[in-house]
Amino acid sequence: MPEGPELHLASCYINTVCAGLIFSGKVEKSEVSKNPEVPFESDAYVISAVSRGKEVKLTLMPLKGQSQNGPQQPMDVVFRFGMSGSFKFTPEAELPKHAHLRFYTKESPRRALCFVDFRRFGRWEVDGTWQLDRGPCVMLEYEKFRENVLKNLSDKAFNKPICEALLNQKFFNGIGNYLRAEILYRLKIPPFEKARTVLEALQHPKQSPGLTLSKKVKLKRENPDLLELCHVVPMEVVRMGGKGYGPEHSDDSAAFEAWLQCYYVPGMRSLRDGNGRTIWFQGEPGPMAPKGEKSRKKSSRKGQITNRVKLCLEQHKLSDRKKEASEEVTKPAAKRRPKSSSCQEKGVTRSGRKKGKELVPGAEHGKAAEAREPSTRPRRKAAASQEPPAREAPAAAAKRRVPARRSAGTAAAATRSRRVKAE
DNA sequence: CGTCCACGTCTAC
DNA sequence: TAGACCTGGACGG
């Protein structure tokens, strides 16, 4: 769920499903969550939500005249979704797995508004306020957002490549990994061009004397600049409705995937940025691109999928980094993960990667020795322009991985039905 | 079964 | 600038 559009759609979802509903009692937190208990209790209260960038604020409002034992004051709880947070409203008998915070209705078979977050990177704050160092919302406070960027271009945040600056929530509250790729792709801005260089050009927009006002307006609308796209692109996702980028398979998620033009799209290139995050793009990486990095272009998608069902099934498919084309096969690669420990619920030793830098240990020989291969998502329209160098190794290496989702109908149904138990 | 990857922050060295 | 923090799907062996 987690970029600006998903948070905003979550707030809309909450307001829709909770409209006219009365909640009652205490707020329950799962045992496993390390987030704070929410000390709110009321015989009758209503819930509403608002979003700002990558945060959602829930307001719990007691109904007047319902407080016999000490008037409970209204309470705000601010949520950040981490990598997997979302809200879901379900019957109490069908609580989703990983429902870490639950608000119950006053009706008889109760229902519950749940904050669901399987990875538990999400956070909430009791009596919370918008995080202080996050900037204006790119979707709902566009003018303030734009001014906050253009008036602070001397900030060192803009010394970074534009693709990294776009993830800085102090200036781009709401932009995340798929949005930065989609936004830069629309203008074909090299992701590793210096942010300040790209943004300074927007301070003094070139005039077009001679044009009528309406012509100028039209021109502007048809040629949005980078900051306008930081508003428009996420708004496109909001207007699609549904849940945006989420794990549930549905017509909505299929529409979302069809909407993506760059992120995880076959034919696009990808690199790890300075923070180890994958940036998807087309064309040149730009002057500040990490050197000796592994680029991975994709490979052409071979078997085109023609079957509709397959398209739905398809989804993502990631690919694998190391490519066998180079003879890299033998090297295990030196990255290893520090397995910390922890995990009371089971002894898990998880992993996670970090920087893509040394992916291919010895391989620095010139060209990109590897090929990752992205995925296969809905078919893009005829991929007309490919990039220059698709000249990867022969067709070799092209394995795709398919992240999540399974069949549309069945998956959704299956997911819905099971999931009764909570942690 | 082990490795890699994922829509994001946080905080310690 | 690294880890930490988590679960789980897709792959490879």
Side-chain angles (χ1 to χ4, degrees), chain A residues 48-64:
Chain A
S48 60
V50 291
S51 71
R52 177 177 186 263
K54 273 186 246 183
E55 296 185 301
V56 163
K57 177 160 63 186
L58 271 200
T59 295
L60 312 179
M61 183 71 69
L63 293 181
K64 299 179 277 291

Side-chain angles (χ1 to χ4, degrees), chain A residues 122 131 139-140 194 212 217 228 251 310 345 349 372 394 409:
Chain A
Q131 204 163 249
M139 298 173 293
L140 307 179
K194 191 177 194 179
T212 64
V217 170
E228 288 165 339
D251 289 344
K310 281 238 199 126
E345 323 183 58
T349 62
R372 173 200 256 21

Side-chain angles (χ1 to χ4, degrees), chain A residues 41-113:
Chain A
E41 178 173 9
S42 173
D43 287 340
Y45 67 100
V46 293
I47 295 177
S48 60
V50 291
S51 71
R52 177 177 186 263
K54 273 186 246 183
E55 296 185 301
V56 163
K57 177 160 63 186
L58 271 200
T59 295
L60 312 179
M61 183 71 69
L63 293 181
K64 299 179 277 291
Q66 299 289 342
S67 47
Q68 34 261 87
N69 17 328
Q72 163 73 64
Q73 293 300 121
M75 176 182 283
D76 283 341
V77 184
V78 171
F79 294 80
R80 259 160 268 131
F81 288 13
M83 295 285 269
S84 58
S86 68
F87 273 90
K88 202 163 185 182
F89 184 63
T90 71
E92 178 172 18
E94 299 166 39
L95 289 190
K97 198 172 179 181
H98 310 295
H100 299 300
L101 196 63
R102 310 179 287 265
F103 303 85
Y104 293 95
T105 60
K106 194 174 173 63
E107 19 174 27
S108 190
R110 299 199 295 175
R111 282 182 289 173
L113 175 67

Side-chain angles (χ1 to χ4, degrees), chain A residues 172-183:
Chain A
F172 299 91
N173 191 6
I175 301 302
N177 208 26
Y178 79 74
L179 284 171
R180 69 171 178 173
E182 295 298 313
I183 290 165

Side-chain angles (χ1 to χ4, degrees), chain A residues 132-188:
Chain A
L132 296 170
D133 41 14
R134 302 185 78 104
C137 179
V138 297
M139 298 173 293
L140 307 179
E141 302 174 282
Y142 173 66
E143 290 302 334
K144 281 200 274 186
F145 147 72
R146 185 179 181 95
E147 179 180 292
N148 186 45
V149 170
L150 295 181
K151 287 194 167 176
N152 291 289
L153 290 184
S154 59
D155 193 294
K156 59 177 168 43
F158 301 107
N159 291 344
K160 307 231 176 173
I162 186 63
C163 71
E164 292 176 25
L166 286 171
L167 292 185
N168 186 333
Q169 305 299 296
K170 180 172 178 181
F171 294 107
F172 299 91
N173 191 6
I175 301 302
N177 208 26
Y178 79 74
L179 284 171
R180 69 171 178 173
E182 295 298 313
I183 290 165
L184 293 173
Y185 175 81
R186 300 284 178 104
L187 294 176
K188 301 300 185 291

